[in-house]
């Protein structure tokens, strides 16, 4: 977790981070518990030293054995009491420390919600069609790509089933994105999709994210909402050779999220669903802010290039503090233009964690001087479906309802230039 020495040294910085990230943590309580724990630790060490000294004296001074034994008994009773207080304080401190956020990087905008995110740039013109445009659900139904009713009979609200051209289109998009990332010399990983609470905690999804995770009954396992969890947590307790860094992974998996609290918000169609496919980029790099910044920008560029080849207009926003997660130091979202919504919708999130995840999972490397350092971790979406189908279908629709296929995707769809009705 966050280094307690850093919190003691810079309490005002962490107070501010807690406030602007909207974390439910009382730092004064944490510092108070930390002080009490240190006091009990000092008492505990003193009593242990006294116990050892009394044991030696009992062996050396048999004439005073009964007196020394009585002192030893009293010491043992006090030791048990102090140990119990220390253990309780240690647990309380650990629970509080689990909520200490990373400090946002310099320049991260301060805000409350995604409305306060700051636009950095836009790419691609928003095309004004000379006809009345249909939304993605209408287009998918026209092409018999989607079965909502059947899926919801099986799996409840916000379930969906892609079929026919819809399933083929998703597969094409996913493989297209994967190939583009593999060409950047990333290593493909098929990580576990069922992980333990330690992996969820280590990557920063617990605490505060339990409501959005599907727990598998009687197993103590959870379904992951991103392959990042498995890919990062696989390196728990590992010492990585410095010359291995940076390690760049790409995962291609099904993901699961409960989307708790999203009822009535963004729930129409395919925008916010419980099960989806995602190509995810993950990087481990050296403990260096400048190196991490370069990796962050590269991850962002990879995703932008994919959208550019798919001929989709998008914008990049700097995510504000109130819209960031517990461990994120810096975050950018890519929002793709969705005509039916009349604005850009989030399709990618690029995050830098510095050593937040590595501390929780104990992932280190040896630097040039031989000292052990925590790695830095980063991640970014390459492409996620079915959400990407919203801008793809809507932006590429033509007057008769057919769908234009961008040049870069055609080889993945039997060289079709258009999806016809």
């Amino acid at each position: 977790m966050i280094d307690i020495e850093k919190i003691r040294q810079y309490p005002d910085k962490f107070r501010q981070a807690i406030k602007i990230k909207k974390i439910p943590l009382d730092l004064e309580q944490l510092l108070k518990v930390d002080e009490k724990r240190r006091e009990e630790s000092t008492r505990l060490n003193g009593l242990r030293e006294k116990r050892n000294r009394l044991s030696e004296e009992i062996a050396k001074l048999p004439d005073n054995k009964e007196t020394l034994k009585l002192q030893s008994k009293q010491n043992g009773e006090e030791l048990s009491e102090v140990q119990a207080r220390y253990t309780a304080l240690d647990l309380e401190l650990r629970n509080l420390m689990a909520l200490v956020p990373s400090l946002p990087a310099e320049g991260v905008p301060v805000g409350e919600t995604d409305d306060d995110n700051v636009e950095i740039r836009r790419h691609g013109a928003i095309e004004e069609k000379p006809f009345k445009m249909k939304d993605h659900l209408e287009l998918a139904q026209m092409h018999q790509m989607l079965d909502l009713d059947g899926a919801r009979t099986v799996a409840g609200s916000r379930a969906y089933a892609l079929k026919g051209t819809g399933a083929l289109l998703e597969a094409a998009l996913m493989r297209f994105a994967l190939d583009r990332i593999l060409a950047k010399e990333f290593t493909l990983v098929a990580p576990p999709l069922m992980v333990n609470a330690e992996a969820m905690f280590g990557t920063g999804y617990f605490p505060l994210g339990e409501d959005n995770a599907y727990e598998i009954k009687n197993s103590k396992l959870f379904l992951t909402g991103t392959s990042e969890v498995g890919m990062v947590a696989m390196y728990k307790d590992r010492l990585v050779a410095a010359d291995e860094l940076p390690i760049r992974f790409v995962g291609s998996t099904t993901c699961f999220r409960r989307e708790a609290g999203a009822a009535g918000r963004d729930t129409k169609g395919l925008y916010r669903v419980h099960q989806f496919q995602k190509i995810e980029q993950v990087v481990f790099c050296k403990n260096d802010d400048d190196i991490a910044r370069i990796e962050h920008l590269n991850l962002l560029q990879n995703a932008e290039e994919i959208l550019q080849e798919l001929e989709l207009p998008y914008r990049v926003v700097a995510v504000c503090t109130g819209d960031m997660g517990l461990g994120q130091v810096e975050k950018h979202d890519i929002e793709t233009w969705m005509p039916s919504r009349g604005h850009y919708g989030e399709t990618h999130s690029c995050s830098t964690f510095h050593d937040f995840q590595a501390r929780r999972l104990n992932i280190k490397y040896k630097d040039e001087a031989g000292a052990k350092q925590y790695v830095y971790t980063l991640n970014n979406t390459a492409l996620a479906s079915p959400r990407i189908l919203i801008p793809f279908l809507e932006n590429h629709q033509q007057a008769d309802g057919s769908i234009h296929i961008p040049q870069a995707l055609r080889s993945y769809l039997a060289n079709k230039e258009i999806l016809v009705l």
Side-chain angles (χ1 to χ4, degrees):
M1 291 182 273
I2 300 294
D3 187 352
I4 186 64
E5 289 292 342
K6 187 179 288 188
I7 299 171
R8 294 168 186 158
Q9 188 174 0
Y10 304 108
D12 289 342
K13 290 185 178 181
F14 284 95
R15 287 189 189 95
Q16 177 68 1
I18 289 165
K19 178 181 178 182
I20 62 180
K21 280 193 167 186
K22 303 186 300 182
I23 305 300
L25 172 65
D26 182 347
L27 191 67
E28 308 314 314
Q29 175 68 9
L30 184 150
L31 292 171
K32 188 184 298 183
V33 172
D34 173 50
E35 184 178 357
K36 289 181 179 178
R37 176 182 173 276
R38 282 187 287 169
E39 290 172 357
E40 295 298 343
S41 178
T42 300
R43 292 191 185 98
L44 199 59
N45 290 333
L47 289 167
R48 285 169 175 164
E49 289 175 4
K50 184 177 180 180
R51 178 188 60 189
N52 294 337
R53 187 172 65 253
L54 286 168
S55 296
E56 292 175 359
E57 290 178 357
I58 289 171
K60 292 179 181 177
L61 304 170
D63 293 341
N64 295 327
K65 185 176 292 186
E66 293 306 317
T67 300
L68 292 171
K69 279 186 176 181
L70 180 60
Q71 292 178 13
S72 179
K73 180 182 178 183
Q74 292 170 341
N75 179 79
E77 290 172 351
E78 188 176 358
L79 183 61
S80 296
E81 291 174 3
V82 174
Q83 178 68 63
R85 290 200 300 269
Y86 175 84
T87 300
L89 287 166
D90 186 61
L91 177 60
E92 184 178 0
L93 183 63
R94 285 177 175 274
N95 290 336
L96 291 168
M97 286 290 292
L99 290 168
V100 178
S102 290
L103 300 178
E106 186 177 350
V108 170
V110 175
E112 293 286 323
T113 69
D114 56 4
D115 291 332
D116 300 315
N117 293 344
V118 177
E119 184 176 308
I120 303 298
R121 60 180 172 273
R122 295 187 181 193
H123 185 277
I126 296 172
E127 184 181 355
E128 294 291 337
K129 305 277 188 180
F131 55 85
K132 184 179 179 181
M133 297 179 68
K134 298 176 175 61
D135 67 24
H136 68 284
L137 286 178
E138 294 175 285
L139 292 163
Q141 289 164 357
M142 288 173 64
H143 286 266
Q144 299 183 12
M145 294 181 175
L146 188 64
D147 186 342
L148 290 180
D149 292 338
R152 289 170 182 174
T153 298
V154 172
S157 64
R158 278 187 271 169
Y160 67 95
L162 296 175
K163 63 179 185 178
T165 306
L168 290 171
L169 177 58
E170 179 182 76
L173 286 165
M174 293 295 99
R175 186 54 200 251
F176 161 77
L178 178 60
D179 285 349
R180 291 304 184 269
I181 303 303
L182 290 174
K184 305 281 187 176
E185 299 186 350
F186 281 62
T187 299
L188 179 60
V189 178
L193 302 183
M194 298 180 292
V195 302
N196 56 29
E198 194 172 10
M200 296 292 278
F201 174 84
T203 49
Y205 288 91
F206 291 175
L208 303 182
E210 290 89 344
D211 286 349
N212 270 319
Y214 283 104
E215 184 174 4
I216 303 171
K217 189 176 181 180
N218 300 326
S219 70
K220 296 182 180 180
L221 296 174
F222 300 83
L223 296 175
T224 60
T226 171
S227 58
E228 166 206 348
V229 177
M231 286 191 285
V232 174
M234 282 167 55
Y235 271 65
K236 182 182 183 299
D237 294 328
R238 289 196 189 181
L239 181 64
V240 180
D243 58 8
E244 288 184 60
L245 299 172
I247 297 170
R248 299 186 180 99
F249 286 154
V250 57
S252 175
T253 64
T254 303
C255 304
F256 306 89
R257 289 182 189 169
R258 291 184 61 205
E259 297 289 2
R265 181 170 62 89
D266 296 331
T267 55
K268 180 184 177 182
L270 299 176
Y271 190 83
R272 198 176 294 279
V273 293
H274 295 306
Q275 174 184 320
F276 53 98
Q277 308 298 318
K278 187 158 69 137
I279 309 296
E280 180 76 5
Q281 308 170 83
V282 164
V283 172
F284 302 80
C285 70
K286 290 183 178 179
N287 191 319
D288 184 290
D289 291 7
D290 292 335
I291 290 174
R293 180 64 179 171
I294 292 170
E295 293 292 337
H296 183 102
L297 295 176
N298 286 341
L299 291 176
L300 198 57
Q301 181 179 340
N302 293 346
E304 288 190 64
E305 289 175 357
I306 286 170
L307 289 177
Q308 289 167 17
E309 288 199 78
L310 292 176
E311 301 172 16
L312 295 174
Y314 65 87
R315 70 173 185 169
V316 178
V317 299
V319 174
C320 74
T321 53
D323 196 30
M324 293 172 67
L326 188 71
Q328 291 159 337
V329 172
E330 183 176 21
K331 182 178 179 182
H332 287 88
D333 281 352
I334 301 177
E335 300 176 348
T336 308
W337 179 252
M338 300 181 180
S340 64
R341 297 165 64 88
H343 57 78
Y344 294 90
E346 178 205 327
T347 51
H348 302 70
S349 287
C350 185
S351 300
T352 293
F353 288 86
H354 283 181
D355 61 1
F356 181 87
Q357 294 178 326
R359 281 183 172 277
R360 290 182 169 218
L361 291 165
N362 190 34
I363 308 171
K364 296 180 179 179
Y365 71 99
K366 279 189 178 180
D367 64 18
E368 289 75 6
K372 293 180 180 179
Q373 305 284 352
Y374 290 105
V375 301
Y376 277 6
T377 59
L378 309 91
N379 66 72
N380 186 24
T381 320
L383 206 64
S385 179
R387 187 174 292 188
I388 196 63
L389 296 179
I390 300 174
F392 187 91
L393 294 174
E394 292 180 358
N395 283 290
H396 290 314
Q397 67 179 291
Q398 302 185 88
D400 63 355
S402 59
I403 308 297
H404 163 73
I405 304 300
Q407 178 66 47
L409 194 63
R410 291 174 188 172
S411 62
Y412 296 87
L413 286 167
N415 293 315
K416 292 180 180 177
E417 297 180 13
I418 191 171
L419 294 181
V420 298
L421 295 172

